[in-house]
Amino acid sequence: MKQIPLDLSADQPQSFDTFVTGRNAELLQRLKLLAAGTDTSTHTASASTDRFIYIWAEAGAGKSHLLQTVATAVGPRARVITPASANEAQDSFDYSSQISHYLVDDVDQLHDEAQIAVFNLFNQIREQGGWLVSTGKLPPTRLELREDLRTRLGWGLIYQIHDLSDDEKIAALLQATLTRGLEIPPAVLTYMLTHYRRDMPSLSRMLDALDRYSLATKRAITLPLLRELLQQESEEQ
């Protein structure tokens, strides 16, 4: 049988509802409040440290997911800055009264000039108003960054995204199958968790691919079908 092309790179639309909370309820609530705080009076209020949030976790934990979710909730008054966009646009870190939320992803990967720029942006937000949410893979004290920027990142609120337990991941995948109207034996999900990448974005994409593969082959979702799909993905890589 001819192999069916897989698309395991496409992310689902991101929202607070699609982020599996686990032990991260406090962080999620904080970001929801931050995303809702777009009125002018709050925007220019004070230099309170709760307007600066640093989120750290390993790759695949959902840092980018949360930043994009905040950006979607805020709309045009939000600006997402990544190392790539910082390289492409020199004015990415320019402060603007039209922007209320600055969302800097993977701050630990910024080059030296960009580190200076985000440091200056931090000071402008502190003086003139706004919010800054940044992410990295380690807590601020362990980042290999300029000392002044590392100090600024540690000045606000710091949250670690706690990984889900295996039981929480299985429960989340089961809930996702119910939402999609799929009938998948729990053993299939357990096998996916133990024989595939373990982060939730990858598991969710594999679940979508499994659904499409089942429809394309007109076969029920079973353990042999999953093994076949995993083998196909391995060969494509």
Side-chain angles (χ1 to χ4, degrees):
M1 181 183 70
K2 182 179 178 180
Q3 287 189 335
I4 299 171
L6 305 179
D7 182 8
L8 291 171
S9 61
D11 288 318
Q12 296 178 333
Q14 296 164 339
S15 69
F16 288 119
D17 291 336
T18 59
F19 182 82
V20 183
T21 306
R23 294 175 290 156
N24 301 293
E26 181 182 346
L27 168 60
L28 209 62
Q29 182 61 24
R30 173 67 64 178
L31 292 178
K32 287 179 180 179
L33 292 173
L34 178 141
T38 56
D39 60 282
T40 304
S41 60
T42 305
H43 175 58
T44 58
S46 69
S48 173
T49 57
D50 63 8
R51 293 190 293 106
F52 299 93
I53 298 177
Y54 177 76
I55 303 169
W56 67 277
E58 292 294 330
K63 301 188 298 294
S64 299
H65 180 142
L66 290 175
L67 288 194
Q68 292 294 338
T69 295
V70 172
T72 299
V74 173
R77 290 179 63 80
R79 179 188 295 169
V80 178
I81 307 171
T82 66
S85 66
N87 287 333
E88 294 172 0
Q90 298 299 319
D91 60 352
S92 295
F93 296 102
D94 287 356
Y95 183 86
S96 168
S97 60
Q98 302 303 310
I99 301 298
S100 59
H101 294 65
Y102 296 85
L103 311 168
V104 184
D105 206 6
D106 295 324
V107 66
D108 49 311
Q109 297 180 26
L110 294 175
H111 56 73
D112 290 346
E113 291 184 5
Q115 290 181 36
I116 296 173
V118 73
F119 171 80
N120 293 333
L121 175 62
F122 187 105
N123 291 334
Q124 288 180 291
I125 292 172
R126 184 181 178 185
E127 295 172 359
Q128 301 182 50
W131 289 267
L132 174 66
V133 184
S134 54
T135 74
K137 64 182 179 181
L138 296 170
T141 55
R142 296 173 57 193
L143 292 175
E144 295 183 0
L145 293 173
R146 293 171 53 93
E147 181 61 29
D148 52 6
L149 176 56
R150 185 165 52 240
T151 300
R152 286 291 187 271
L153 294 176
W155 187 69
L157 301 175
I158 301 173
Y159 289 94
Q160 177 186 7
I161 298 181
H162 298 285
D163 196 13
L164 301 176
S165 67
D166 285 357
D167 288 343
E168 288 172 328
K169 290 178 181 179
I170 291 295
L173 291 171
L174 282 172
Q175 182 59 48
T177 63
L178 294 175
T179 301
R180 293 168 171 81
L182 302 177
E183 294 184 6
I184 301 181
V188 172
L189 300 178
T190 301
Y191 187 91
M192 185 189 303
L193 182 62
T194 56
H195 291 78
Y196 191 60
R197 292 188 288 274
R198 296 174 55 81
D199 62 280
M200 283 305 299
S202 295
L203 291 169
S204 296
R205 287 193 291 268
M206 176 52 74
L207 191 62
D208 287 339
L210 187 59
D211 181 24
R212 294 193 301 271
Y213 195 63
S214 171
L215 292 173
T217 59
K218 298 181 180 180
R219 295 161 57 191
I221 296 177
T222 60
L223 195 52
L225 188 74
L226 173 61
R227 287 173 176 152
E228 186 176 298
L229 182 61
L230 292 174
Q231 177 63 32
Q232 179 175 328
E233 192 220 1
S234 176
E235 292 174 356
E236 289 183 356
Q237 291 180 342

